[in-house]
Amino acid sequence: MKFNWRRTTIAYIVMLIVSIAVFTFFLPSASEQPVEISQTQLVELSQQHQIEKISIDGDQINITTNEAIPRELFTYKESLTSIYDIPGFDPTGIEISPVGNTGIDWGAVFINFIPILIIGGIIIFLFSQARGANSQAMQFGRSRAKMFNVDKPTNTFSDVAGVDEAKQEVEEVVEFLKSREKFQALGARIPKGVLLIGYPGTGKTLLARAIAGEAGVPFFSISGSEFVEMFVGVGASRVRDLFKQAKLNAPCIIFIDEIDAVGRQRGAGLGGSHDEREQTLNQILVEMDGFESNTTIIVIAATNRPDVLDPALLRPGRFDRRVVLDMPDLNGRHQILQIHAKGKPLADNVNLETLAKQTIGFSGADLSNLMNEGAILAARASKKVIEMSDLEESIDRVIAGPERKNRKVNQHEKEITAYHEAGHALVARMLPSADPVHKITIVARGMAGGYTKQLPSEDRYIATRSQFAAKIAIFMGGRLAEEIVFDEMSTGASQDFKEATNLAKKMVTSYGMSEKLGPRTFGSKEEMVFLGKEIHEQRDYGEKTADLIDQEVEALIQAGYQLAKTILTDNRDRLRYIAERLVAVETLEGEELEKLFTEPVPPPAEKDTSAVASVEKPEKVAEPAKTKAKARAKNRPADPDPGTAAAPAPAT
Ligand SMILES: Nc1ncnc2c1ncn2[C@@H]1O[C@H](COP(=O)(O)OP(=O)(O)OP(=O)(O)O)[C@@H](O)[C@H]1O
Ligand SMILES: [Zn+2]
């Protein structure tokens, strides 16, 4: 090759300029700017042992975390003289550079290192040219920290209850992990991927860990949403790293939680680019396809949205085993409660079976939460054992958040809430298809200003049109009671309306419960869209039908409204009777509630000071529509009534 001096010199000069440019532009952005945190956050980090190093520069405390993505943080000492004076700060295991050490003079270092930097720059420049990808330079300096967790779970199948079918189905996976040869000798195709499907908190993660625990293999886990939050271009390489690590540790399990996050439509509000998600998903597929037949890695993914998954994921040889984890039934809930009662001293009056009956609709996680809340309540009251009352209170806490007894509510608001809840309750009580009313309260709880708790008498897997119609009427009952009694509307019913509208829409568009529109579904929100296809809300009907849907929804709501109105005007005295009692005692349940529903209403006491001034017509005794009254089990969590909650004081 002929050496051309002039050209080479020019080339070097160009390279020099470019590399300096590269440095001034890329380096500062590659190393992230330190982020300011509060002292409380510093204390928390220290207590969680997430700090590796601290250096003190005058008043500024520079913190290096030992988290997966090392991040520079800093805070100020403020008026304190020493970092050790920060209350709660736990210096264990932290490398603290001496107080007063102002550290290195970075300016000087920079000047000294300029030549090295320039040479480095040229190398990087050449390198990036060679790779031909301009994005490569951007990756320089980024840490390649591990983004997945590895451990060897000790969980076993006995820790998972209420999902017996699912356990049976995955038993085989354990067998396979333990004795692969046995299967291979018979030419059985080895499972590669298992998709666990179930509502949040049904124990998907727990079951996956139990599989690893039973088989005694390492458990690699990462969550789909973590991929989405990662830097651009990193998702796919993380997947590669993950599988590489896993292969070195085979036999093992890779668990991908929330797989729908990498495999669902664009604009799901999770951030991260579409391409990024696609690349990550593609890489997962590539890795799974690339397993050699003798690799003993099983990929378990979890989702509660199987409907949005890319069909490519479900093809044979990928996640072709689908295991559904149902919400636990009575028996399952009982077993789960027993599991979580272990190691907790229970009073003799605690009956877990009764609790199981009262917790229809609770997931495994809710139940675990319930036992924990019970223990906390008992501990707060300095009890030695957990009593039934603690656990019963916890049920309400889990449903609707802790009581907010000290929320100041003025008398008028309290009355409005009382009538509102009494309205819901009375309508529910008078409708045979409605679930029995178990409890009414106007004690603010969580987001709700009050709530009416209805519980079905048994587990239910299907619902009927008349149950839905009753529900809509009950939703309307709250606002109607306010209207009838105060002749005024408050904001407290917005949530009720929202839920009623949603329900009516579903009745028409999903359950085929409208006569006019007939037994078909309308619209499909999430198409099976992945790998590059656009997502739209699919409307598979025309303008006319859209109008008809609106009309039918309207009709259902109106019917509920009228039904509730008739019930409440016919039983106005009883409504007042219940509401007044509710204002007085705030919570009604059990026998007292039953009496208020059934006993003859005594005439109003003296002149009515509340707005219930009206001609009292003799009222029919409210015969309980459903006569199983006494035998009614107390089941299923109520729909909390967030509507009443956020209601600002109504204009009066
Ligand atoms: N079937 C169950 N048996 C016993 N405990 C359970 C069960 N389901 C859930 N739990 C308890 O709830 C906790 C949370 O459950 P887990 O994280 O496994 O649910 P998940 O289905 O993975 O939820 P998510 O979809 O929110 O990730 C578990 O650690 C366990 O304590
Ligand atoms: Zn309401």
Side-chain angles (χ1 to χ4, degrees), residues 265 305 307-308 505-506 522-529 535-539:
Q265 78 268 33
R305 298 296 314 273
D307 52 321
V308 303
K505 249 188 217 154
K506 272 205 181 141
F522 297 91
S524 49
K525 242 185 226 118
E526 271 125 348
E527 277 286 277
M528 294 286 237
V529 186
I535 262 277
H536 293 291
E537 188 163 335
Q538 194 85 356
R539 197 165 124 178

Side-chain angles (χ1 to χ4, degrees), residues 195 224 227-228 234-240 243 256 258-265 273-289 301 308-314 318-319 529-533:
L195 185 64
F227 282 124
V228 180
V234 180
S237 76
R238 286 290 178 260
V239 173
R240 235 174 286 133
F243 279 79
I256 307 175
E258 301 172 61
I259 184 119
D260 42 290
V262 273
R264 64 183 306 168
Q265 78 268 33
S273 82
H274 189 48
D275 288 349
E276 179 63 8
R277 185 190 58 65
E278 254 178 48
Q279 279 172 15
T280 309
L281 183 59
N282 277 333
Q283 193 61 40
I284 293 175
L285 298 177
V286 165
E287 293 288 349
M288 287 183 77
D289 291 344
V308 303
L309 287 187
D310 188 328
L313 274 171
L314 306 176
R318 292 169 182 169
F319 295 98
V529 186
F530 275 73
L531 299 179
K533 270 173 268 166

Side-chain angles (χ1 to χ4, degrees), residues 448-471:
Y451 80 108
T452 298
K453 181 177 177 184
Q454 287 173 262
L455 302 163
S457 355
E458 63 233 328
D459 287 300
R460 268 205 313 249
Y461 301 100
I462 54 167
T464 62
R465 189 181 195 281
S466 45
Q467 281 164 355
F468 286 152
K471 262 195 167 168

Side-chain angles (χ1 to χ4, degrees), residues 419 476-490 497 561 565 572:
Y419 275 96
M476 297 294 136
R479 156 63 68 80
L480 264 163
E482 296 176 39
E483 259 183 71
I484 293 173
V485 175
F486 299 97
D487 193 19
E488 172 65 294
M489 299 179 185
S490 82
F497 296 150
Y561 188 85
K565 193 167 185 176
R572 202 178 151 143

Side-chain angles (χ1 to χ4, degrees), residues 159-163 198-207 257 304 336 339-340 364-365 368:
D159 296 329
V160 197
V163 287
Y199 288 110
T202 41
K204 298 182 291 294
T205 312
L206 187 63
L207 184 62
D257 205 356
N304 52 12
I336 295 173
I339 288 175
H340 292 283
S368 140

